[in-house]
Amino acid sequence: MRIKISLAQLITISSPLCLLLIWEFCSQFSILDPRFFPPPTLILKTLIQMGESGELFQHILISLRRIVLGFLLGVIPAICIGLLMGMYRYFRQFFSPIIMIFMPIPTIAMLPIILILFGIGEFSKMITIAISVFFPVAINTAAGVANIDKIYLDVAKNYQASAKDFFFKIALPGSLPVMLEGIQMGQAIALLTIVAAEMIGATSGIGYLIWMNYRAFLLPEMYVGLILISFFGYFFSLLLRGLERKLLPWK
């Protein structure tokens, strides 16, 4: 079976490979200080060694559990509230000021309050992710409902569609394109948040791995953590793009 690779796919693959080759060359010939920028081959070797010891997979599984549960904890209420804000003016008038007040505050700045309320256990880290994910998803979902073509609203009104039918047959599918963009933003923010949260208040996870190796000046191990975060960001993005193609085949 022959695998065909398009020019666009070839360019997409070649750009990170070129970056790695330049990094390897500059590090090997000391154009970049190898103490601070170890060559990718050394980082790969370190990744394999950490994987063989089993330590790495433990940190990965802990971080992934926090990310997935925290992401769901933020996305599900954000979609519900966003849909209600888009559908009903009074909901929008009630929730909009609250969102506008809290959205500009960095989630990490709220971490002391989160720790006071929920303690230093796993749930506080999930709540931190949930809060950071909530705002872009809620705002995009509400905007998606508001941008539904007026003709669909008129059809629903003329046929006296019930609130339930309007919610599931017009508001939800009509807002999906913009909602999914918000979810895409949310997954990127979730990764940023978990790294920061694990650096500050955790004893395990990828963020903790990055921070502790930085403090011990074990930079190849630190870069392993950074590469893992980059990989999972790209992987989750591909998953969401695949979901988008399934749900929105016309795009």
Side-chain angles (χ1 to χ4, degrees):
M1 184 178 179
R2 304 178 73 181
I3 300 174
K4 293 183 179 180
I5 300 177
S6 67
L7 179 60
Q9 289 173 323
L10 191 62
I11 293 171
T12 302
I13 294 168
S14 65
S15 59
L17 289 177
C18 287
L19 180 62
L20 289 172
L21 287 172
I22 292 168
W23 182 359
E24 180 75 24
F25 176 84
C26 291
S27 183
Q28 292 286 2
F29 290 94
S30 298
I31 299 171
L32 293 173
D33 191 333
R35 294 174 300 172
F36 304 114
F37 300 97
T41 49
L42 177 58
I43 297 170
L44 179 61
K45 182 180 177 182
T46 306
L47 171 64
I48 293 169
Q49 289 172 348
M50 293 174 71
E52 288 175 345
S53 71
E55 171 197 4
L56 188 61
F57 294 109
Q58 183 181 358
H59 289 294
I60 290 172
L61 290 174
I62 289 169
S63 287
L64 285 179
R65 185 176 70 241
R66 291 167 179 164
I67 291 167
V68 172
L69 295 177
F71 183 76
L72 293 175
L73 200 61
V75 164
I76 293 170
I79 290 174
C80 295
I81 291 174
L83 288 171
L84 291 172
M85 286 174 63
M87 290 170 59
Y88 302 110
R89 181 162 54 97
Y90 294 120
F91 270 94
R92 185 165 58 252
Q93 290 171 341
F94 179 81
F95 282 106
S96 289
I98 298 172
I99 290 175
M100 292 303 107
I101 288 168
F102 286 103
M103 189 177 67
I105 303 174
T107 311
I108 297 303
M110 298 175 66
L111 192 55
I113 299 172
I114 294 170
L115 292 175
I116 290 169
L117 292 174
F118 301 103
I120 59 172
E122 291 296 297
F123 191 64
S124 63
K125 297 168 186 62
M126 295 175 197
I127 287 291
T128 305
I129 296 170
I131 292 171
S132 65
V133 168
F134 175 85
F135 295 109
V137 177
I139 290 170
N140 275 46
T141 302
V145 177
N147 289 329
I148 293 174
D149 197 322
K150 192 173 182 297
I151 190 170
Y152 297 111
L153 305 180
D154 292 338
V155 168
K157 186 177 180 181
N158 290 337
Y159 283 92
Q160 297 180 339
S162 65
K164 178 183 174 183
D165 287 337
F166 184 83
F167 186 92
F168 286 105
K169 295 182 179 179
I170 295 178
L172 183 58
S175 65
L176 270 178
V178 184
M179 181 201 300
L180 288 171
E181 289 300 323
I183 293 173
Q184 186 77 258
M185 289 170 55
Q187 68 86 16
I189 294 170
L191 286 168
L192 294 172
T193 304
I194 191 59
V195 171
E198 288 177 345
M199 283 181 173
I200 295 170
T203 56
S204 58
I206 298 174
Y208 172 79
L209 183 73
I210 293 169
W211 181 245
M212 293 307 295
N213 284 309
Y214 162 74
R215 293 184 64 182
F217 207 70
L218 299 171
L219 295 192
E221 287 82 353
M222 182 196 77
Y223 277 103
V224 167
L226 293 172
I227 289 170
L228 285 173
I229 289 294
S230 176
F231 168 76
F232 285 119
Y234 187 64
F235 177 71
F236 291 147
S237 181
L238 288 179
L239 281 181
L240 288 172
R241 290 300 178 195
L243 177 64
E244 184 178 17
R245 285 193 293 272
K246 290 288 185 182
L247 296 175
L248 308 172
W250 62 88
K251 280 195 71 176

